[in-house]
């Protein structure tokens, strides 16, 4: 089945730790995105990539980093610089920027 | 800055009713518009995409329209069912170099059996 796979489904982070969220797609999409969702707020864009080895900051990139070494993969690292990382993280992809977007099932990150 | 408002924030209806969800943008320069469904604790499922050259799209009991002149979109759900209960999100693509989707905060729909 084609789709977007995010792992893990749940992730717990200790204070001061970096953690990496995985996002893999087998849809042959060029564009990939990371969003953060908090209760009562709309999705906010963290980073996006429209082509391999290139990515741009979204609206709330501080405390996050990404890489795009392969077309299929767009991992997100939540660094210790992110002071309020507890949230639901969603990865998406589209054929190109601006076409229909498809989402993974999300990773819920909790700071313990 | 583009902002998206969805009205109502929450809605409860009896099974079988037809209903309308609203979405409006502060900047009417929208390239395309996408409606999503989100079940609790889950990712987003794409429902309908209205591209820049279109005014509406239909899929089964769902119909979405876009009025670019006013920056408003509506999602019409016919003959609602308990399985339609979810949060519905609209997202507009404002185009330009970034091609980013801007999301509303959603409408929480409960369809009572």
């Amino acid at each position: 089945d084609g789709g977007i796979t995010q792992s893990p489904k749940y992730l717990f982070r200790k204070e001061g730790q970096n953690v990496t969220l995985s996002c893999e797609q087998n849809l042959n999409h060029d564009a990939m995105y990371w969003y953060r969702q908090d209760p009562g707020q709309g999705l906010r864009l963290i980073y996006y990539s429209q082509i391999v080895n290139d990515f741009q900051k979204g609206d709330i990139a501080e405390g996050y980093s990404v890489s795009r070494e392969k077309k299929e993969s767009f991992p997100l690292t939540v660094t210790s610089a992110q002071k309020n990382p507890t949230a639901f993280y969603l990865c998406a992809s589209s054929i190109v920027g601006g076409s229909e977007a498809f989402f993974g099932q999300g990773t819920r990150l909790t700071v313990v | 800055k583009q902002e998206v408002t969805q009205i109502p924030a929450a809605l409860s209806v009896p099974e079988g009713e037809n209903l309308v969800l609203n979405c409006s943008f502060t900047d009417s320069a929208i390239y395309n518009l996408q409606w999503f469904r989100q079940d609790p604790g889950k990712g987003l499922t794409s429902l309908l995409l209205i591209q820049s050259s279109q005014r509406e799209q239909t899929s089964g009991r769902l119909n979405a329209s876009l009025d670019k002149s006013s920056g408003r979109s509506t999602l019409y759900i016919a003959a609602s069912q308990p399985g339609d209960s979810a949060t519905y999100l609209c997202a507009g693509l404002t185009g330009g170099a970034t091609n980013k989707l801007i999301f509303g905060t959603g409408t929480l729909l409960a369809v009572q059996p």
Side-chain angles (χ1 to χ4, degrees):
Chain A
D1 285 339
I4 301 173
T5 302
Q6 290 188 242
S7 62
K9 187 173 181 179
Y10 300 97
L11 185 58
F12 298 90
R13 190 193 96 165
K14 294 181 180 179
E15 295 284 349
Q17 264 188 343
N18 292 352
V19 291
T20 297
L21 285 61
S22 171
C23 178
E24 303 277 335
Q25 54 97 1
N26 60 5
L27 300 169
N28 200 32
H29 287 173
D30 284 309
M32 296 187 74
Y33 314 81
W34 275 106
Y35 288 88
R36 170 179 172 144
Q37 187 176 35
D38 294 280
Q41 297 191 40
L43 275 69
R44 293 181 290 168
L45 183 64
I46 304 172
Y47 268 98
Y48 63 104
S49 168
Q50 302 203 60
I51 196 170
V52 174
N53 292 322
D54 187 48
F55 48 83
Q56 289 79 39
K57 293 182 179 179
D59 300 316
I60 55 165
E62 185 176 354
Y64 300 97
S65 66
V66 294
S67 62
R68 187 83 187 278
E69 297 177 0
K70 298 186 299 181
K71 187 176 184 178
E72 303 79 22
S73 179
F74 192 40
L76 173 73
T77 297
V78 184
T79 74
S80 57
Q82 171 50 241
K83 298 307 179 188
N84 184 24
T86 295
F88 191 49
Y89 290 86
L90 289 158
C91 177
S93 71
S94 61
I95 293 175
V96 295
S99 61
E100 186 175 11
F102 297 90
F103 280 77
Q105 288 300 299
T107 293
R108 185 165 300 281
L109 173 62
T110 304
V111 174
V112 296
Chain B
K1 179 184 175 183
Q2 177 73 276
E3 293 184 353
V4 185
T5 301
Q6 288 192 244
I7 295 172
L11 181 62
S12 180
V13 300
E15 182 177 4
E17 274 204 6
N18 301 327
L19 56 99
V20 175
L21 308 181
N22 298 288
C23 173
S24 62
F25 295 78
T26 52
D27 182 350
S28 61
I30 301 163
Y31 180 68
N32 69 24
L33 186 132
Q34 198 166 354
W35 281 93
F36 295 90
R37 168 187 173 137
Q38 186 176 30
D39 293 291
K42 303 292 186 182
L44 276 62
T45 300
S46 178
L47 297 174
L48 291 164
L49 169 70
I50 304 176
Q51 295 184 320
S52 58
S53 59
Q54 300 170 326
R55 291 179 58 88
E56 67 177 318
Q57 280 286 345
T58 298
S59 176
R61 294 182 293 108
L62 305 180
N63 175 273
S65 63
L66 174 62
D67 182 348
K68 288 189 173 183
S69 64
S70 64
R72 295 178 185 273
S73 177
T74 59
L75 178 66
Y76 176 82
I77 302 177
S80 58
Q81 302 172 357
D84 295 331
S85 299
T87 296
Y88 290 81
L89 297 156
C90 68
L93 187 75
T94 53
T98 55
N99 282 326
K100 297 189 299 184
L101 277 175
I102 308 297
F103 281 85
T105 53
T107 294
L108 176 61
L109 173 64
V111 180
Q112 308 300 330

